[in-house]
Amino acid sequence: MKLLLATVAACLLAGCGSHMDQSTSPNSGASADGTTASQLALVPYPDDVTPMPGTLELTKVVHVEAADGTETSAPALNRLLKALDITRDSSAHTQIQLYLVDEPALGDEGYRLDIDQQIVLSANTDAGLFYAVQTLSQLLPANVQASYPLPNLSITDSPSYSWRGNMLDVARSFFSVEYLKQHIDRMARFKLNRLHLHLSDDQGWRVEIEGYPKLTEIGGASAVKGGRSGFYTQDDIRELVRYAKARHVTLVPEIDLPGHTQAAIASYNELACDDVTNLAPYSGLEVGFSKLCLTDRETTYTFVKDVLTEIVKLFPSEYIHIGGDEIKDPLYPEFIARATRIVDQLGRTAIAWEEGSVADNDPDVLLQLWNDEYDIQPALDRGHQLILSPCSYAYFDHGNYQGQPNTYDWCRKEGVPLERAYQLKPEDFEQIVGVESAMWSELVHTDAAADNRLWPRVAVTAELGWSRADDRDYQAFLQRLNALRPMLDAMGIEYYREPQLNWD
Ligand code: ACM
């Protein structure tokens, strides 16, 4: 809901806190509907903001009172305070209180943030409190200041969708544990909660499977031409899972089956049918040429079951992605149905790319829509739910602008500029669990290039996944995001200098 916040004008976009010093914004005026200048610099925008008169001068010493059960939100608050040089002392005048409450309307991830004489964060869950801390972090400046004025207000907020995701293709080109941790931190700041890791493809196999060591010895050593090779050990994965969990990000593993499997076949030749002669590691860009031998059911399903058994031991995610894209084989529907059932027998639920909808799957299997025009209606009629990733809005390996070097344009020749990404309307779709943007890495070989493709567009994913349709306004979004630029800088993000944000 949009509110005119005249009473707290001092602390709005043009006001207090150093987020506000991006006075070069091209969008500092109001939009046509006159609302943009009235929004706080928050992305995603909260559901309900009630301004109160006055400001709270947050001092350099505060008293933090955290209830039991705040094991992730209290440390998140501590990290925020530490970064701003704010120390804790139980005799301090200003208090920050973290409360667990029982208010069904807030749901599992919602929260209230009240700023008045004190700062009070309340939620039903530690996750909700964690998100309240993220909102507080966006209200505060990104860097140490002499003092921290905050607008008095009351925010009541909860997400539109439970699935607010981003996918990284770590298979074509590898990304380090350190980069993933940074990415998790950045996602969490925007209340994103699903990091989908595309862990295997033709060009590389990136996760250690103890029963099949050659997958990483051979499959982990290859990469797309120009990209990085490597793999995550099982200890790496456990560390990433722990790190992500503390930030309310679920790591969703994808083992892409039965196509996109050249790295597996190069590691274990018996996974290909006998007539296949191309058994070498692959570093090209073509897709759709490799597959497990679907007529050799013994070999194929033993492999699939063994690998997925180790995957579910490593990843606590309720959902396990089995891929299923871009392969033609008469036995494909049988494969998908059997693979989704294997996941089910392992106590989890499968996700498949949209093509998997042709199989006889249990309706609780999630389908990930990636071609804008794919006819997913029959699957919806059977009761499936969707993750929304239509490529012409959500594929961030596509250019930030038309013709950007080292970007794809097969889905949309104009690329996927920020404004285009924002035009996706999740509310127009039925039976969705949420939204997920994707960054494939055939042409993205460095951390800097990944930052450039991901940011600032991932902030759009956050807003589409969290904010209500009637709170979303592109001009207002630009203004709010522009004001958060120091936060992106402080997080070390090498974002694309988006001209619509005047960042060029
Ligand atoms: C895909 O883009 N092949 C899912």
Side-chain angles (χ1 to χ4, degrees):
M1 98 185 33
K2 293 188 179 71
L3 283 171
L4 289 173
L5 302 181
T7 49
V8 288
C11 284
L12 295 177
L13 284 168
C16 61
S18 69
H19 292 324
M20 319 299 181
D21 55 19
Q22 294 296 322
S23 52
T24 52
S25 165
N27 309 301
S28 49
S31 72
D33 68 1
T35 58
T36 65
S38 65
Q39 290 194 334
L40 293 161
L42 296 172
V43 176
Y45 204 68
D47 185 26
D48 192 278
V49 179
T50 304
M52 309 285 188
T55 60
L56 168 69
E57 198 71 33
L58 185 62
T59 53
K60 282 298 197 63
V61 187
V62 297
H63 173 40
V64 174
E65 237 185 63
D68 287 347
T70 55
E71 55 278 311
T72 65
S73 49
L77 178 62
N78 284 341
R79 289 193 295 272
L80 171 63
L81 297 178
K82 191 158 176 256
L84 295 178
D85 238 351
I86 298 173
T87 53
R88 295 176 53 172
D89 187 322
S90 57
S91 65
H93 175 68
T94 307
Q95 290 193 18
I96 305 180
Q97 298 160 353
L98 275 65
Y99 283 125
L100 285 167
V101 295
D102 184 11
E103 289 184 30
L106 293 176
D108 289 342
E109 295 183 295
Y111 66 90
R112 246 201 346 266
L113 171 61
D114 294 295
I115 302 178
D116 192 348
Q117 303 296 310
Q118 315 294 352
I119 299 176
V120 182
L121 290 60
S122 2
N124 293 324
T125 62
D126 189 31
L129 289 174
F130 181 85
Y131 292 131
V133 172
Q134 304 316 312
T135 296
L136 183 61
S137 81
Q138 292 193 0
L139 290 170
L140 286 163
N143 299 299
V144 174
Q145 310 284 325
S147 70
Y148 301 102
L150 284 166
N152 287 351
L153 52 71
S154 178
I155 291 175
T156 306
D157 195 16
S158 62
S160 291
Y161 298 105
S162 61
W163 193 287
R164 305 179 300 279
N166 180 244
M167 188 211 81
L168 291 188
D169 171 8
V170 297
R172 270 54 176 270
S173 182
F174 183 67
F175 289 89
S176 66
V177 169
E178 277 319 302
Y179 187 78
L180 294 193
K181 285 184 171 178
Q182 271 185 356
H183 190 54
I184 289 164
D185 279 325
R186 296 163 176 182
M187 287 175 65
R189 198 63 80 92
F190 288 90
K191 305 187 178 80
L192 289 158
N193 66 352
R194 298 284 185 278
L195 175 57
H196 166 179
L197 294 174
H198 183 76
L199 288 166
S200 70
D201 212 299
D202 291 317
Q203 297 87 344
W205 184 286
R206 305 295 178 215
V207 55
E208 178 187 14
I209 301 295
E210 287 175 346
Y212 294 82
K214 287 194 290 184
L215 286 173
T216 43
E217 282 164 27
I218 297 172
S222 58
V224 75
K225 191 171 171 9
R228 296 178 294 208
S229 57
F231 66 91
Y232 308 111
T233 65
Q234 296 208 347
D235 279 344
D236 288 339
I237 296 291
R238 282 186 279 270
E239 168 61 11
L240 280 168
V241 165
R242 183 202 64 75
Y243 193 88
K245 185 164 180 264
R247 289 151 182 84
H248 295 276
V249 174
T250 301
L251 298 186
V252 180
E254 178 188 355
I255 300 297
D256 201 352
L257 303 165
H260 288 269
T261 39
Q262 188 67 17
I265 287 165
S267 308
Y268 290 95
N269 295 170
E270 60 272 29
L271 293 172
C273 287
D274 289 343
D275 59 348
V276 174
T277 53
N278 174 14
L279 300 167
Y282 181 69
S283 62
L285 296 176
E286 296 304 309
V287 296
F289 62 90
S290 62
K291 59 186 166 190
L292 302 180
C293 187
L294 300 187
T295 50
D296 182 355
R297 293 179 175 82
E298 175 69 23
T299 304
T300 291
Y301 294 107
T302 301
F303 174 75
V304 169
K305 186 164 180 218
D306 289 348
V307 167
L308 292 177
T309 299
E310 291 199 34
I311 290 292
V312 301
K313 283 194 185 134
L314 285 172
F315 292 90
S317 171
E318 178 187 352
Y319 290 98
I320 305 292
H321 205 311
I322 57 148
D325 57 327
E326 297 183 305
I327 165 179
K328 288 212 174 356
D329 190 291
L331 293 178
Y332 172 79
E334 174 192 314
F335 176 87
I336 293 295
R338 287 185 68 160
T340 60
R341 255 160 228 141
I342 288 171
V343 173
D344 186 64
Q345 282 156 8
L346 292 169
R348 309 294 176 84
T349 304
I351 307 171
W353 293 106
E354 62 196 15
E355 296 97 314
S357 64
V358 301
D360 179 19
N361 294 315
D362 207 87
D364 64 358
V365 169
L366 279 186
L367 297 167
Q368 187 162 11
L369 188 75
W370 62 279
N371 280 292
D372 294 35
E373 306 302 333
Y374 190 85
D375 181 13
I376 202 71
Q377 191 58 44
L380 295 179
D381 293 344
R382 293 196 306 277
H384 289 279
Q385 292 211 291
L386 304 180
I387 300 167
L388 210 55
S389 307
C391 54
S392 85
Y393 298 91
Y395 268 25
F396 294 167
D397 47 86
H398 277 53
N400 285 290
Y401 58 91
Q402 183 164 5
Q404 181 176 13
N406 296 318
T407 62
Y408 273 136
D409 66 358
W410 57 262
C411 180
R412 188 168 187 269
K413 71 174 172 18
E414 301 87 352
V416 181
L418 191 70
E419 185 166 8
R420 168 70 182 180
Y422 203 85
Q423 283 162 358
L424 178 63
K425 289 191 164 54
E427 61 278 9
D428 287 353
F429 293 78
E430 286 170 17
Q431 292 169 233
I432 66 167
V433 294
V435 294
E436 184 176 297
S437 48
M439 193 200 73
W440 301 96
S441 63
E442 289 99 324
L443 306 176
V444 182
H445 303 156
T446 64
D447 294 354
D451 276 11
N452 173 283
R453 303 304 182 273
L454 292 166
W455 299 98
R457 289 183 287 187
V458 169
V460 171
T461 314
E463 183 134 314
L464 298 180
W466 185 285
S467 304
R468 305 297 180 274
D470 62 1
D471 286 324
R472 296 201 311 266
D473 172 281
Y474 184 61
Q475 292 305 320
F477 172 76
L478 288 178
Q479 244 193 353
R480 290 182 275 115
L481 188 55
N482 183 46
L484 292 173
R485 184 178 184 182
M487 186 182 89
L488 300 187
D489 287 331
M491 288 191 289
I493 301 178
E494 296 184 64
Y495 46 78
Y496 168 62
R497 292 173 177 262
E498 169 60 53
Q500 290 201 345
L501 288 158
N502 221 15
W503 290 357
D504 53 344

